[in-house]
Amino acid sequence: MLKVTFLIAQSENLLLVSRSEFFMIKLNREFFTSDIIVLKNSESGLSEFINSNTIPWDNVTEIKLKGKYYYSFSKRIVHNIDYVKSQRNIYDYFSNVIPLNNNSFAYKKETCYLDYLRPHIGNYFFLKIDIASFFHSIKESYVRKLFYNYINDEFLDNDKKCSLIDALIKLTSIDIPSESKNISYVNKRVFPIGFSSSPIISEIYFRPIDVLLMKLCSDFELTYTRYADDILISGGINNKYIANNWDFIYNRIFEIFSYYKLKINTRKTINKKKCLSINGYVLESMYYDNRLLFSELRISNFKLKKINKALFYLEENTYIKNETIKYVMEKVFNSKFKKDKFKYTITQSFIDRHYVFSLTNKMRGFRAYLLSFIIYDRKYMILQKETKDKYLKIIGRIELIIDRLLKK
């Protein structure tokens, strides 16, 4: 039986050692007031900030998208520019001074989703885990504990009302009030999805968890990567630990997350062999007699279906009719022109131009997406020759359509 609490203590000791070696000077009051927090009226603004509990709810816009709640600062309120700049400063500072895990690929410069998936090429067993409401599950008390290692135990004011850590929490979190539609978190403080500071806080929060999961995977000869709250673990076809099932590994991961008060989204947990398809990407390894024949990281057929369907209609005639363009936009891409968005009378020629412009942009987007795989393959060889040739042919067809649309 894995002793989770012992491993957690080990990982936190390891992180403390790295911090003590890396940090010669902690974030102090002088730097915080000069380079982190932004206030238009320095003296009165600082006093108002110190006496506040959190960012005012009236300053925040809440939207729901695909079952998740996102937050941003309302552009109607002038002082919100202070919060926006302060959060960017927080992100820039901590992303530069705190070394993040090499197995994490979100929110980093010059990394992409392909970097998250590529280490698993050639493996046969796949386990993809999603954390339920990760951002809003981050505990304030643990964030305080983490940042104590990076911030001086100082106060912003002489009366010692607001410490630097208090200020950091107030700048990066919000209290969800009763009028919010995010009923699961009413009367709770969260680090919101959508705030520019939230990604760096989530990455620092996950550092000790990464250490534990990496240790676990190393012990059982598994590959581990993470992209934000998406975790992917895989193993080779001859891995004796997971040849039968993932139960042992999954239960250890469950114990680790439970310790940090995080929950696994069981509906989004994927356990596959040979071929894994996630978010429009496919990892596939073909074996014969336990020997690897080929392996690749490609675009899913489902994601290619729309562009192939669109090309089928658009290539039907030498001259692309406006009716065809409208049909492709509405039926293939589910994008319909909405007259009620405009105050003035809309002519048919305006609608036709809108559809041409929108479809041209769609084609350019698909072309860029396919090219990104071709360019990535030049460096890392993630595609089979047949797959690469297929993408190059589709790119050529798209370019011809774009030329024809631009001449309309």
Side-chain angles (χ1 to χ4, degrees), residues 12 61 95 191-192 210 214 269 273 276 371 383:
E12 292 184 343
T61 299
S95 61
F191 296 89
D210 279 330
M214 287 173 62
T269 296
K273 295 179 182 179
L276 173 71
L371 270 176
L383 300 172

Side-chain angles (χ1 to χ4, degrees), residues 277-299:
S277 179
I278 53 173
N279 297 328
Y281 299 84
V282 173
L283 274 165
E284 183 177 14
S285 298
M286 185 63 67
Y287 283 84
Y288 177 76
D289 195 23
N290 284 0
R291 289 181 298 175
L292 181 66
L293 298 179
F294 76 86
S295 185
E296 70 176 349
L297 168 56
R298 65 175 187 271
I299 304 168

Side-chain angles (χ1 to χ4, degrees), residues 344-392:
Y344 307 104
T345 303
I346 301 301
T347 64
Q348 185 59 45
S349 62
F350 179 88
I351 296 173
D352 291 342
R353 289 196 304 272
H354 168 81
Y355 277 124
V356 171
F357 177 77
S358 299
L359 182 57
T360 302
N361 284 339
K362 283 281 186 185
M363 292 292 109
R364 285 170 170 165
F366 275 107
R367 177 183 177 275
Y369 183 60
L370 288 165
L371 270 176
S372 69
F373 273 77
I374 299 297
I375 294 169
Y376 196 86
D377 177 72
R378 289 174 187 168
K379 186 174 182 179
Y380 296 110
M381 294 182 291
I382 61 170
L383 300 172
Q384 292 294 297
K385 185 181 183 303
E386 294 79 4
T387 304
K388 182 166 60 174
D389 290 343
K390 180 172 73 173
Y391 292 173
L392 288 170

Side-chain angles (χ1 to χ4, degrees), residues 178-382:
S178 56
E179 58 263 38
S180 168
K181 294 181 180 180
N182 191 358
I183 56 176
S184 298
Y185 291 90
V186 165
N187 298 325
K188 294 180 181 179
R189 177 165 286 190
V190 302
F191 296 89
I193 306 175
F195 277 18
S196 56
S197 57
S198 293
I200 192 63
I201 290 176
S202 70
E203 286 297 295
I204 297 169
Y205 187 91
F206 220 100
R207 284 195 74 210
I209 303 173
D210 279 330
V211 172
L212 287 169
L213 294 177
M214 287 173 62
K215 177 68 167 61
L216 177 68
C217 290
S218 175
D219 288 345
F220 293 96
E221 300 172 8
L222 300 171
T223 303
Y224 165 76
T225 59
R226 179 173 61 83
Y227 196 93
D229 56 351
D230 286 342
I231 290 168
L232 184 56
I233 297 172
S234 66
I237 193 170
N238 296 314
N239 190 307
K240 59 185 178 182
Y241 303 108
I242 56 171
N244 297 319
N245 58 68
W246 283 92
D247 288 350
F248 181 82
I249 303 296
Y250 183 87
N251 289 336
R252 302 295 77 77
I253 294 170
F254 179 83
E255 291 176 18
I256 292 168
F257 285 165
S258 296
Y259 181 90
Y260 287 95
K261 307 296 190 262
L262 298 175
K263 294 181 180 179
I264 294 175
N265 188 339
T266 53
R267 291 186 300 106
K268 293 185 177 181
T269 296
I270 302 172
N271 187 339
K272 294 288 184 180
K273 295 179 182 179
K274 188 176 74 172
C275 185
L276 173 71
S277 179
I278 53 173
N279 297 328
Y281 299 84
V282 173
L283 274 165
E284 183 177 14
S285 298
M286 185 63 67
Y287 283 84
Y288 177 76
D289 195 23
N290 284 0
R291 289 181 298 175
L292 181 66
L293 298 179
F294 76 86
S295 185
E296 70 176 349
L297 168 56
R298 65 175 187 271
I299 304 168
S300 70
N301 291 333
F302 179 81
K303 206 158 189 174
L304 286 176
K305 186 177 180 180
K306 281 189 177 182
I307 186 61
N308 282 323
K309 190 175 182 181
L311 289 172
F312 172 80
Y313 290 114
L314 295 169
E315 292 171 338
E316 194 172 12
N317 298 300
T318 304
Y319 177 78
I320 306 176
K321 299 177 182 179
N322 288 331
E323 293 80 4
T324 304
I325 294 171
K326 179 183 176 183
Y327 180 86
V328 169
M329 286 303 299
E330 291 183 356
K331 302 300 182 182
V332 178
F333 296 121
N334 195 28
S335 177
K336 192 172 183 179
F337 183 85
K338 297 179 181 178
K339 292 184 179 181
D340 55 0
K341 286 188 175 182
F342 299 87
K343 295 180 180 179
Y344 307 104
T345 303
I346 301 301
T347 64
Q348 185 59 45
S349 62
F350 179 88
I351 296 173
D352 291 342
R353 289 196 304 272
H354 168 81
Y355 277 124
V356 171
F357 177 77
S358 299
L359 182 57
T360 302
N361 284 339
K362 283 281 186 185
M363 292 292 109
R364 285 170 170 165
F366 275 107
R367 177 183 177 275
Y369 183 60
L370 288 165
L371 270 176
S372 69
F373 273 77
I374 299 297
I375 294 169
Y376 196 86
D377 177 72
R378 289 174 187 168
K379 186 174 182 179
Y380 296 110
M381 294 182 291
I382 61 170

Side-chain angles (χ1 to χ4, degrees), residues 8-222:
I8 287 169
Q10 274 191 324
S11 71
E12 292 184 343
N13 287 335
L14 176 62
L15 288 169
L16 284 171
V17 170
S18 66
R19 289 167 191 151
S20 64
E21 291 175 347
F22 190 83
F23 286 92
M24 302 304 294
I25 301 175
K26 292 183 178 182
L27 179 60
N28 57 30
R29 173 180 174 175
E30 181 181 356
F31 188 86
F32 194 93
T33 53
S34 63
D35 290 75
I36 300 293
I37 188 170
V38 177
L39 299 166
K40 288 199 177 299
N41 302 313
S42 296
E43 193 170 333
S44 61
L46 183 60
S47 176
E48 182 181 340
F49 175 77
I50 288 169
N51 290 302
S52 66
N53 291 320
T54 185
I55 295 169
W57 180 249
D58 292 341
N59 292 37
V60 177
T61 299
E62 178 184 76
I63 62 168
K64 188 178 183 180
L65 183 64
K66 295 182 179 180
K68 291 184 178 181
Y69 285 92
Y70 295 80
Y71 299 86
S72 61
F73 290 105
S74 174
K75 294 180 180 179
R76 295 179 292 103
I77 300 175
V78 176
H79 291 301
N80 274 350
I81 193 66
D82 295 350
Y83 290 123
V84 172
K85 289 181 178 178
S86 296
Q87 289 200 2
R88 286 176 181 167
N89 290 341
I90 289 169
Y91 180 89
D92 290 341
Y93 174 77
F94 286 109
S95 61
N96 286 327
V97 301
I98 297 179
L100 300 180
N101 193 288
N102 291 333
N103 293 64
S104 172
F105 295 95
Y107 318 122
K108 288 182 179 180
K109 294 179 181 178
E110 300 180 359
T111 62
C112 64
Y113 203 76
L114 291 173
D115 294 316
Y116 157 66
L117 297 173
R118 179 169 52 85
H120 302 272
I121 292 177
N123 283 345
Y124 186 81
F125 300 98
F126 302 99
L127 177 65
K128 189 261 184 185
I129 295 175
D130 177 83
I131 302 172
S133 302
F134 170 59
F135 275 93
H136 296 172
S137 299
I138 295 175
K139 304 302 178 191
E140 178 193 342
S141 58
Y142 193 70
V143 172
R144 286 179 176 273
K145 178 182 176 182
L146 282 173
F147 278 98
Y148 185 80
N149 297 288
Y150 311 118
I151 301 174
N152 270 352
D153 189 15
E154 295 183 63
F155 289 85
L156 275 180
D157 59 318
N158 296 327
D159 295 330
K160 297 184 178 181
K161 290 182 178 179
C162 181
S163 70
L164 295 185
I165 293 180
D166 290 333
L168 180 76
I169 298 296
K170 283 198 281 188
L171 283 170
T172 57
S173 63
I174 54 173
D175 291 331
I176 305 295
S178 56
E179 58 263 38
S180 168
K181 294 181 180 180
N182 191 358
I183 56 176
S184 298
Y185 291 90
V186 165
N187 298 325
K188 294 180 181 179
R189 177 165 286 190
V190 302
F191 296 89
I193 306 175
F195 277 18
S196 56
S197 57
S198 293
I200 192 63
I201 290 176
S202 70
E203 286 297 295
I204 297 169
Y205 187 91
F206 220 100
R207 284 195 74 210
I209 303 173
D210 279 330
V211 172
L212 287 169
L213 294 177
M214 287 173 62
K215 177 68 167 61
L216 177 68
C217 290
S218 175
D219 288 345
F220 293 96
E221 300 172 8
L222 300 171

